[in-house]
């Protein structure tokens, strides 16, 4: 789609790598940063395709949050 989603993809992979390396604190910090970027993108999204892609990343980040924190994720996080 464009470079902002490529950057997100790279950042999400970094989170996954940190989880695999058992560096949960760093993974959680990175996840919070990526969530902020995603929220900003959502605020400025203009096309339906962008909204769909952002939604996919929100779901993925939510699942990663559960994996890192070992808890049930809450809607809106």
């Amino acid at each position: 789609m464009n470079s902002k989603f490529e950057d997100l993809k790279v950042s999400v992979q970094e989170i996954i790598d940190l989880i695999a390396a058992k560096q949960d604190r760093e993974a959680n910090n990175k996840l919070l940063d990526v969530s902020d970027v995603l929220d900003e993108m959502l605020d400025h999204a203009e096309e339906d395709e962008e909204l769909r892609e952002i939604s996919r990343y929100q779901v993925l980040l939510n699942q990663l949050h559960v994996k890192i924190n070992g808890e049930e994720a809450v809607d809106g996080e």
Side-chain angles (χ1 to χ4, degrees):
M1 182 176 280
N2 59 32
S3 66
K4 58 186 169 185
F5 287 110
E6 285 301 317
D7 292 344
L8 270 179
K9 184 178 179 182
V10 169
S11 295
V12 168
Q13 186 60 53
E14 289 174 11
I15 295 167
I16 292 168
D17 293 344
L18 287 167
I19 293 169
K22 305 284 190 220
Q23 297 177 353
D24 290 345
R25 176 173 284 160
E26 292 85 355
N28 197 54
N29 289 341
K30 182 75 174 178
L31 187 140
L32 293 173
D33 291 342
V34 174
S35 292
D36 288 343
V37 170
L38 207 54
D39 288 344
E40 185 71 21
M41 289 173 68
L42 184 60
D43 289 343
H44 297 95
E46 296 177 1
E47 298 177 18
D48 287 345
E49 182 61 30
E50 283 182 290
L51 293 172
R52 281 191 290 274
E53 192 68 14
I54 290 168
S55 177
R56 290 181 190 116
Y57 277 100
Q58 286 175 320
V59 170
L60 177 56
L61 290 180
N62 195 35
Q63 292 301 314
L64 291 173
H65 179 269
V66 170
K67 180 73 173 168
I68 293 167
N69 296 295
E71 61 189 38
E72 196 71 26
V74 178
D75 288 343
E77 282 191 33

